[in-house]
PDB file of all heavy atoms in Angstrom:
ATOM      1  N   GLY A   1       1.183  -4.911 -19.894  1.00  0.00           N
ATOM      2  CA  GLY A   1       1.373  -5.695 -18.700  1.00  0.00           C
ATOM      3  C   GLY A   1       2.364  -5.044 -17.760  1.00  0.00           C
ATOM      4  O   GLY A   1       2.178  -5.036 -16.538  1.00  0.00           O
ATOM      5  N   LYS A   2       3.413  -4.468 -18.340  1.00  0.00           N
ATOM      6  CA  LYS A   2       4.454  -3.799 -17.549  1.00  0.00           C
ATOM      7  C   LYS A   2       3.878  -2.571 -16.842  1.00  0.00           C
ATOM      8  O   LYS A   2       4.106  -2.367 -15.638  1.00  0.00           O
ATOM      9  CB  LYS A   2       5.609  -3.403 -18.460  1.00  0.00           C
ATOM     10  CG  LYS A   2       6.693  -2.586 -17.791  1.00  0.00           C
ATOM     11  CD  LYS A   2       7.366  -3.377 -16.696  1.00  0.00           C
ATOM     12  CE  LYS A   2       8.456  -2.554 -16.053  1.00  0.00           C
ATOM     13  NZ  LYS A   2       9.060  -3.249 -14.894  1.00  0.00           N
ATOM     14  N   VAL A   3       3.147  -1.740 -17.554  1.00  0.00           N
ATOM     15  CA  VAL A   3       2.577  -0.534 -16.979  1.00  0.00           C
ATOM     16  C   VAL A   3       1.545  -0.903 -15.920  1.00  0.00           C
ATOM     17  O   VAL A   3       1.507  -0.313 -14.835  1.00  0.00           O
ATOM     18  CB  VAL A   3       1.943   0.353 -18.059  1.00  0.00           C
ATOM     19  CG1 VAL A   3       1.200   1.527 -17.423  1.00  0.00           C
ATOM     20  CG2 VAL A   3       3.031   0.870 -19.008  1.00  0.00           C
ATOM     21  N   PHE A   4       0.707  -1.884 -16.246  1.00  0.00           N
ATOM     22  CA  PHE A   4      -0.313  -2.334 -15.285  1.00  0.00           C
ATOM     23  C   PHE A   4       0.347  -2.783 -13.990  1.00  0.00           C
ATOM     24  O   PHE A   4      -0.123  -2.437 -12.885  1.00  0.00           O
ATOM     25  CB  PHE A   4      -1.125  -3.470 -15.891  1.00  0.00           C
ATOM     26  CG  PHE A   4      -2.081  -4.117 -14.901  1.00  0.00           C
ATOM     27  CD1 PHE A   4      -3.302  -3.539 -14.633  1.00  0.00           C
ATOM     28  CD2 PHE A   4      -1.720  -5.310 -14.261  1.00  0.00           C
ATOM     29  CE1 PHE A   4      -4.188  -4.124 -13.732  1.00  0.00           C
ATOM     30  CE2 PHE A   4      -2.581  -5.896 -13.347  1.00  0.00           C
ATOM     31  CZ  PHE A   4      -3.817  -5.309 -13.092  1.00  0.00           C
ATOM     32  N   LEU A   5       1.399  -3.583 -14.102  1.00  0.00           N
ATOM     33  CA  LEU A   5       2.081  -4.089 -12.913  1.00  0.00           C
ATOM     34  C   LEU A   5       2.706  -2.939 -12.114  1.00  0.00           C
ATOM     35  O   LEU A   5       2.618  -2.915 -10.875  1.00  0.00           O
ATOM     36  CB  LEU A   5       3.176  -5.081 -13.314  1.00  0.00           C
ATOM     37  CG  LEU A   5       3.931  -5.769 -12.194  1.00  0.00           C
ATOM     38  CD1 LEU A   5       2.962  -6.553 -11.305  1.00  0.00           C
ATOM     39  CD2 LEU A   5       5.006  -6.684 -12.740  1.00  0.00           C
ATOM     40  N   SER A   6       3.307  -1.975 -12.777  1.00  0.00           N
ATOM     41  CA  SER A   6       3.932  -0.845 -12.096  1.00  0.00           C
ATOM     42  C   SER A   6       2.883  -0.008 -11.364  1.00  0.00           C
ATOM     43  O   SER A   6       3.087   0.365 -10.206  1.00  0.00           O
ATOM     44  CB  SER A   6       4.691   0.039 -13.107  1.00  0.00           C
ATOM     45  OG  SER A   6       5.750  -0.679 -13.704  1.00  0.00           O
ATOM     46  N   VAL A   7       1.767   0.281 -12.043  1.00  0.00           N
ATOM     47  CA  VAL A   7       0.703   1.059 -11.403  1.00  0.00           C
ATOM     48  C   VAL A   7       0.095   0.292 -10.229  1.00  0.00           C
ATOM     49  O   VAL A   7      -0.156   0.864  -9.164  1.00  0.00           O
ATOM     50  CB  VAL A   7      -0.389   1.431 -12.431  1.00  0.00           C
ATOM     51  CG1 VAL A   7      -1.584   2.086 -11.757  1.00  0.00           C
ATOM     52  CG2 VAL A   7       0.191   2.357 -13.507  1.00  0.00           C
ATOM     53  N   PHE A   8      -0.110  -1.005 -10.426  1.00  0.00           N
ATOM     54  CA  PHE A   8      -0.647  -1.845  -9.343  1.00  0.00           C
ATOM     55  C   PHE A   8       0.277  -1.816  -8.146  1.00  0.00           C
ATOM     56  O   PHE A   8      -0.176  -1.732  -6.997  1.00  0.00           O
ATOM     57  CB  PHE A   8      -0.828  -3.274  -9.835  1.00  0.00           C
ATOM     58  CG  PHE A   8      -1.241  -4.238  -8.744  1.00  0.00           C
ATOM     59  CD1 PHE A   8      -2.547  -4.299  -8.315  1.00  0.00           C
ATOM     60  CD2 PHE A   8      -0.303  -5.062  -8.146  1.00  0.00           C
ATOM     61  CE1 PHE A   8      -2.924  -5.172  -7.309  1.00  0.00           C
ATOM     62  CE2 PHE A   8      -0.664  -5.941  -7.138  1.00  0.00           C
ATOM     63  CZ  PHE A   8      -1.990  -5.996  -6.716  1.00  0.00           C
ATOM     64  N   ARG A   9       1.594  -1.897  -8.387  1.00  0.00           N
ATOM     65  CA  ARG A   9       2.566  -1.845  -7.297  1.00  0.00           C
ATOM     66  C   ARG A   9       2.468  -0.543  -6.536  1.00  0.00           C
ATOM     67  O   ARG A   9       2.531  -0.517  -5.305  1.00  0.00           O
ATOM     68  CB  ARG A   9       3.977  -1.991  -7.867  1.00  0.00           C
ATOM     69  CG  ARG A   9       4.501  -3.415  -7.841  1.00  0.00           C
ATOM     70  CD  ARG A   9       5.973  -3.378  -7.539  1.00  0.00           C
ATOM     71  NE  ARG A   9       6.541  -4.658  -7.875  1.00  0.00           N
ATOM     72  CZ  ARG A   9       7.148  -4.928  -9.033  1.00  0.00           C
ATOM     73  NH1 ARG A   9       7.240  -3.991  -9.930  1.00  0.00           N
ATOM     74  NH2 ARG A   9       7.669  -6.108  -9.257  1.00  0.00           N
ATOM     75  N   ILE A  10       2.365   0.560  -7.260  1.00  0.00           N
ATOM     76  CA  ILE A  10       2.309   1.871  -6.613  1.00  0.00           C
ATOM     77  C   ILE A  10       1.066   1.978  -5.735  1.00  0.00           C
ATOM     78  O   ILE A  10       1.138   2.433  -4.597  1.00  0.00           O
ATOM     79  CB  ILE A  10       2.314   3.001  -7.681  1.00  0.00           C
ATOM     80  CG1 ILE A  10       3.690   3.030  -8.378  1.00  0.00           C
ATOM     81  CG2 ILE A  10       2.017   4.345  -7.040  1.00  0.00           C
ATOM     82  CD1 ILE A  10       3.736   3.951  -9.588  1.00  0.00           C
ATOM     83  N   ILE A  11      -0.071   1.527  -6.258  1.00  0.00           N
ATOM     84  CA  ILE A  11      -1.314   1.546  -5.469  1.00  0.00           C
ATOM     85  C   ILE A  11      -1.189   0.635  -4.258  1.00  0.00           C
ATOM     86  O   ILE A  11      -1.607   0.999  -3.143  1.00  0.00           O
ATOM     87  CB  ILE A  11      -2.508   1.099  -6.339  1.00  0.00           C
ATOM     88  CG1 ILE A  11      -2.755   2.117  -7.469  1.00  0.00           C
ATOM     89  CG2 ILE A  11      -3.772   0.937  -5.505  1.00  0.00           C
ATOM     90  CD1 ILE A  11      -3.788   1.671  -8.485  1.00  0.00           C
ATOM     91  N   ALA A  12      -0.556  -0.526  -4.442  1.00  0.00           N
ATOM     92  CA  ALA A  12      -0.386  -1.475  -3.343  1.00  0.00           C
ATOM     93  C   ALA A  12       0.497  -0.872  -2.249  1.00  0.00           C
ATOM     94  O   ALA A  12       0.208  -1.020  -1.049  1.00  0.00           O
ATOM     95  CB  ALA A  12       0.227  -2.762  -3.855  1.00  0.00           C
ATOM     96  N   VAL A  13       1.564  -0.198  -2.656  1.00  0.00           N
ATOM     97  CA  VAL A  13       2.479   0.426  -1.676  1.00  0.00           C
ATOM     98  C   VAL A  13       1.760   1.510  -0.866  1.00  0.00           C
ATOM     99  O   VAL A  13       1.940   1.620   0.346  1.00  0.00           O
ATOM    100  CB  VAL A  13       3.724   0.988  -2.372  1.00  0.00           C
ATOM    101  CG1 VAL A  13       4.465   1.975  -1.490  1.00  0.00           C
ATOM    102  CG2 VAL A  13       4.663  -0.142  -2.767  1.00  0.00           C
ATOM    103  N   ILE A  14       0.937   2.299  -1.564  1.00  0.00           N
ATOM    104  CA  ILE A  14       0.157   3.323  -0.853  1.00  0.00           C
ATOM    105  C   ILE A  14      -0.770   2.668   0.167  1.00  0.00           C
ATOM    106  O   ILE A  14      -0.879   3.121   1.309  1.00  0.00           O
ATOM    107  CB  ILE A  14      -0.652   4.191  -1.856  1.00  0.00           C
ATOM    108  CG1 ILE A  14       0.314   5.004  -2.730  1.00  0.00           C
ATOM    109  CG2 ILE A  14      -1.604   5.116  -1.109  1.00  0.00           C
ATOM    110  CD1 ILE A  14      -0.355   5.732  -3.873  1.00  0.00           C
ATOM    111  N   GLY A  15      -1.442   1.593  -0.251  1.00  0.00           N
ATOM    112  CA  GLY A  15      -2.331   0.887   0.648  1.00  0.00           C
ATOM    113  C   GLY A  15      -1.613   0.267   1.813  1.00  0.00           C
ATOM    114  O   GLY A  15      -2.078   0.351   2.968  1.00  0.00           O
ATOM    115  N   ILE A  16      -0.468  -0.358   1.558  1.00  0.00           N
ATOM    116  CA  ILE A  16       0.305  -0.977   2.632  1.00  0.00           C
ATOM    117  C   ILE A  16       0.835   0.095   3.585  1.00  0.00           C
ATOM    118  O   ILE A  16       0.844  -0.105   4.819  1.00  0.00           O
ATOM    119  CB  ILE A  16       1.468  -1.800   2.055  1.00  0.00           C
ATOM    120  CG1 ILE A  16       0.935  -2.964   1.215  1.00  0.00           C
ATOM    121  CG2 ILE A  16       2.339  -2.355   3.199  1.00  0.00           C
ATOM    122  CD1 ILE A  16       2.007  -3.688   0.428  1.00  0.00           C
ATOM    123  N   GLY A  17       1.256   1.228   3.044  1.00  0.00           N
ATOM    124  CA  GLY A  17       1.727   2.328   3.874  1.00  0.00           C
ATOM    125  C   GLY A  17       0.639   2.845   4.788  1.00  0.00           C
ATOM    126  O   GLY A  17       0.875   3.112   5.988  1.00  0.00           O
ATOM    127  N   TRP A  18      -0.577   2.974   4.249  1.00  0.00           N
ATOM    128  CA  TRP A  18      -1.723   3.430   5.049  1.00  0.00           C
ATOM    129  C   TRP A  18      -2.001   2.423   6.164  1.00  0.00           C
ATOM    130  O   TRP A  18      -2.257   2.799   7.308  1.00  0.00           O
ATOM    131  CB  TRP A  18      -2.944   3.603   4.144  1.00  0.00           C
ATOM    132  CG  TRP A  18      -4.203   3.942   4.880  1.00  0.00           C
ATOM    133  CD1 TRP A  18      -4.643   5.185   5.243  1.00  0.00           C
ATOM    134  CD2 TRP A  18      -5.206   3.027   5.334  1.00  0.00           C
ATOM    135  NE1 TRP A  18      -5.840   5.108   5.905  1.00  0.00           N
ATOM    136  CE2 TRP A  18      -6.213   3.788   5.970  1.00  0.00           C
ATOM    137  CE3 TRP A  18      -5.348   1.637   5.253  1.00  0.00           C
ATOM    138  CZ2 TRP A  18      -7.331   3.210   6.540  1.00  0.00           C
ATOM    139  CZ3 TRP A  18      -6.467   1.069   5.811  1.00  0.00           C
ATOM    140  CH2 TRP A  18      -7.454   1.831   6.454  1.00  0.00           C
ATOM    141  N   TYR A  19      -1.950   1.146   5.819  1.00  0.00           N
ATOM    142  CA  TYR A  19      -2.209   0.086   6.803  1.00  0.00           C
ATOM    143  C   TYR A  19      -1.139   0.091   7.900  1.00  0.00           C
ATOM    144  O   TYR A  19      -1.446  -0.069   9.086  1.00  0.00           O
ATOM    145  CB  TYR A  19      -2.224  -1.273   6.085  1.00  0.00           C
ATOM    146  CG  TYR A  19      -2.467  -2.447   6.992  1.00  0.00           C
ATOM    147  CD1 TYR A  19      -3.635  -2.532   7.773  1.00  0.00           C
ATOM    148  CD2 TYR A  19      -1.584  -3.513   7.043  1.00  0.00           C
ATOM    149  CE1 TYR A  19      -3.896  -3.640   8.572  1.00  0.00           C
ATOM    150  CE2 TYR A  19      -1.814  -4.621   7.856  1.00  0.00           C
ATOM    151  CZ  TYR A  19      -2.967  -4.667   8.610  1.00  0.00           C
ATOM    152  OH  TYR A  19      -3.202  -5.761   9.423  1.00  0.00           O
ATOM    153  N   LEU A  20       0.105   0.305   7.502  1.00  0.00           N
ATOM    154  CA  LEU A  20       1.205   0.355   8.468  1.00  0.00           C
ATOM    155  C   LEU A  20       1.023   1.480   9.487  1.00  0.00           C
ATOM    156  O   LEU A  20       1.163   1.271  10.694  1.00  0.00           O
ATOM    157  CB  LEU A  20       2.546   0.522   7.740  1.00  0.00           C
ATOM    158  CG  LEU A  20       3.788   0.649   8.599  1.00  0.00           C
ATOM    159  CD1 LEU A  20       4.054  -0.634   9.383  1.00  0.00           C
ATOM    160  CD2 LEU A  20       5.011   1.000   7.742  1.00  0.00           C
ATOM    161  N   VAL A  21       0.690   2.665   8.992  1.00  0.00           N
ATOM    162  CA  VAL A  21       0.485   3.810   9.883  1.00  0.00           C
ATOM    163  C   VAL A  21      -0.670   3.550  10.839  1.00  0.00           C
ATOM    164  O   VAL A  21      -0.601   3.857  12.031  1.00  0.00           O
ATOM    165  CB  VAL A  21       0.250   5.098   9.063  1.00  0.00           C
ATOM    166  CG1 VAL A  21      -0.166   6.242   9.982  1.00  0.00           C
ATOM    167  CG2 VAL A  21       1.493   5.481   8.286  1.00  0.00           C
ATOM    168  N   ASN A  22      -1.753   2.959  10.304  1.00  0.00           N
ATOM    169  CA  ASN A  22      -2.903   2.663  11.165  1.00  0.00           C
ATOM    170  C   ASN A  22      -2.578   1.603  12.206  1.00  0.00           C
ATOM    171  O   ASN A  22      -3.098   1.679  13.317  1.00  0.00           O
ATOM    172  CB  ASN A  22      -4.075   2.203  10.295  1.00  0.00           C
ATOM    173  CG  ASN A  22      -4.897   3.358   9.791  1.00  0.00           C
ATOM    174  OD1 ASN A  22      -5.847   3.814  10.420  1.00  0.00           O
ATOM    175  ND2 ASN A  22      -4.539   3.878   8.629  1.00  0.00           N
ATOM    176  N   LEU A  23      -1.743   0.636  11.864  1.00  0.00           N
ATOM    177  CA  LEU A  23      -1.330  -0.355  12.857  1.00  0.00           C
ATOM    178  C   LEU A  23      -0.598   0.296  14.022  1.00  0.00           C
ATOM    179  O   LEU A  23      -0.823  -0.072  15.186  1.00  0.00           O
ATOM    180  CB  LEU A  23      -0.427  -1.419  12.200  1.00  0.00           C
ATOM    181  CG  LEU A  23      -1.096  -2.458  11.315  1.00  0.00           C
ATOM    182  CD1 LEU A  23      -0.045  -3.357  10.675  1.00  0.00           C
ATOM    183  CD2 LEU A  23      -2.072  -3.312  12.103  1.00  0.00           C
ATOM    184  N   THR A  24       0.261   1.233  13.714  1.00  0.00           N
ATOM    185  CA  THR A  24       0.999   1.906  14.797  1.00  0.00           C
ATOM    186  C   THR A  24       0.085   2.765  15.640  1.00  0.00           C
ATOM    187  O   THR A  24       0.297   2.890  16.855  1.00  0.00           O
ATOM    188  CB  THR A  24       2.138   2.763  14.216  1.00  0.00           C
ATOM    189  OG1 THR A  24       1.584   3.785  13.336  1.00  0.00           O
ATOM    190  CG2 THR A  24       3.127   1.925  13.426  1.00  0.00           C
ATOM    191  N   LYS A  25      -0.949   3.352  15.036  1.00  0.00           N
ATOM    192  CA  LYS A  25      -1.889   4.167  15.801  1.00  0.00           C
ATOM    193  C   LYS A  25      -2.709   3.313  16.765  1.00  0.00           C
ATOM    194  O   LYS A  25      -3.128   3.781  17.826  1.00  0.00           O
ATOM    195  CB  LYS A  25      -2.824   4.920  14.856  1.00  0.00           C
ATOM    196  CG  LYS A  25      -2.160   6.044  14.085  1.00  0.00           C
ATOM    197  CD  LYS A  25      -3.145   6.748  13.175  1.00  0.00           C
ATOM    198  CE  LYS A  25      -2.495   7.906  12.426  1.00  0.00           C
ATOM    199  NZ  LYS A  25      -3.450   8.582  11.488  1.00  0.00           N
ATOM    200  N   LYS A  26      -2.950   2.048  16.386  1.00  0.00           N
ATOM    201  CA  LYS A  26      -3.750   1.149  17.212  1.00  0.00           C
ATOM    202  C   LYS A  26      -2.883   0.360  18.184  1.00  0.00           C
ATOM    203  O   LYS A  26      -3.381  -0.543  18.867  1.00  0.00           O
ATOM    204  CB  LYS A  26      -4.527   0.176  16.324  1.00  0.00           C
ATOM    205  CG  LYS A  26      -5.575   0.836  15.451  1.00  0.00           C
ATOM    206  CD  LYS A  26      -6.490  -0.197  14.802  1.00  0.00           C
ATOM    207  CE  LYS A  26      -5.719  -1.142  13.896  1.00  0.00           C
ATOM    208  NZ  LYS A  26      -6.646  -2.105  13.242  1.00  0.00           N
ATOM    209  N   ASP A  27      -1.589   0.660  18.245  1.00  0.00           N
ATOM    210  CA  ASP A  27      -0.653  -0.081  19.105  1.00  0.00           C
ATOM    211  C   ASP A  27      -0.703  -1.577  18.815  1.00  0.00           C
ATOM    212  O   ASP A  27      -0.734  -2.404  19.734  1.00  0.00           O
ATOM    213  CB  ASP A  27      -0.960   0.166  20.592  1.00  0.00           C
ATOM    214  CG  ASP A  27      -0.634   1.595  21.014  1.00  0.00           C
ATOM    215  OD1 ASP A  27       0.345   2.155  20.482  1.00  0.00           O
ATOM    216  OD2 ASP A  27      -1.372   2.158  21.848  1.00  0.00           O
TER     217      ASP A  27
END
């Protein structure tokens, strides 16, 4: 459960980071 949560967090952060950059590109 601990490893799953950590890996899920890392994937989520990558996804949120991608979304953040795209938001700025779209003003």
Side-chain angles (χ1 to χ4, degrees):
K2 174 63 179 175
V3 173
F4 173 81
L5 184 59
S6 296
V7 172
F8 173 79
R9 265 216 196 96
I10 292 171
I11 295 172
V13 163
I14 293 171
I16 296 170
W18 175 86
Y19 180 58
L20 177 65
V21 172
N22 273 271
L23 285 175
T24 60
K25 289 180 178 178
K26 295 191 298 182
D27 292 325

